[in-house]
């Protein structure tokens, strides 16, 4: 008897692939037990509204001691700027004469966005200043031009 399918049983159903000799091409099928799937998926649902106001994007680079992690800088910036800091992603790390021995420069792509209104340049500058001050106080960070 030839093989007709390959079947995998998963926690909430069955997934299968039909043998190519039965039909031309690649064919698959699945059957899900929705009661079991919903039981597995129980938990807190989290969502974030889609914001219709445009973000303000800037790049910021900070010279910090070598041992300071980018994640720690992001956490401190988030505390300082609050919910209007929508994204802060590191994109470059520089080590060299310009930042000094035992230091590094970490550059971030930063986005500010409000769910209630369009932010002005002044709003973005105030948020940037709060981040710069918080990182200076906590890590001895220096904003690089």
């Amino acid at each position: 008897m030839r093989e007709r399918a390959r079947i995998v049983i998963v926690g909430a159903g069955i997934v299968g692939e039909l043998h190519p000799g039965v039909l031309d091409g690649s064919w698959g099928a699945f059957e899900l037990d929705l009661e079991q799937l919903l039981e597995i998926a129980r938990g807190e649902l989290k969502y974030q509204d889609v914001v219709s106001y445009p973000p303000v994007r800037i790049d910021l680079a900070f010279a910090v001691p070598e041992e300071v992690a980018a994640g720690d800088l992001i956490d401190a910036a988030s505390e300082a700027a609050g919910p209007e800091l929508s994204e802060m992603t590191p994109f470059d790390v520089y080590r060299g004469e310009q930042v000094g021995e035992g230091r590094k420069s970490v550059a971030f792509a930063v986005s500010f966005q409000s769910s209630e209104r369009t932010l002005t340049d002044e709003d973005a500058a105030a948020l940037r200043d709060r981040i710069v001050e918080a990182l200076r106080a906590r890590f001895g960070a220096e904003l690089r031009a």
Side-chain angles (χ1 to χ4, degrees), residues 11-54:
I14 299 172
V15 178
E17 180 182 1
L18 204 57
H19 189 279
V22 176
L23 285 175
D24 289 338
S26 296
W27 293 87
F30 65 92
E31 180 180 312
L32 297 177
D33 181 334
L34 290 180
E35 281 185 38
Q36 196 173 13
L37 186 61
L38 287 172
E39 198 59 41
I40 293 169
R42 292 229 191 271
E44 184 179 342
L45 295 176
K46 295 181 182 180
Y47 73 94
Q48 185 174 2
D49 286 337
V50 175
V51 178
S52 59
Y53 299 103

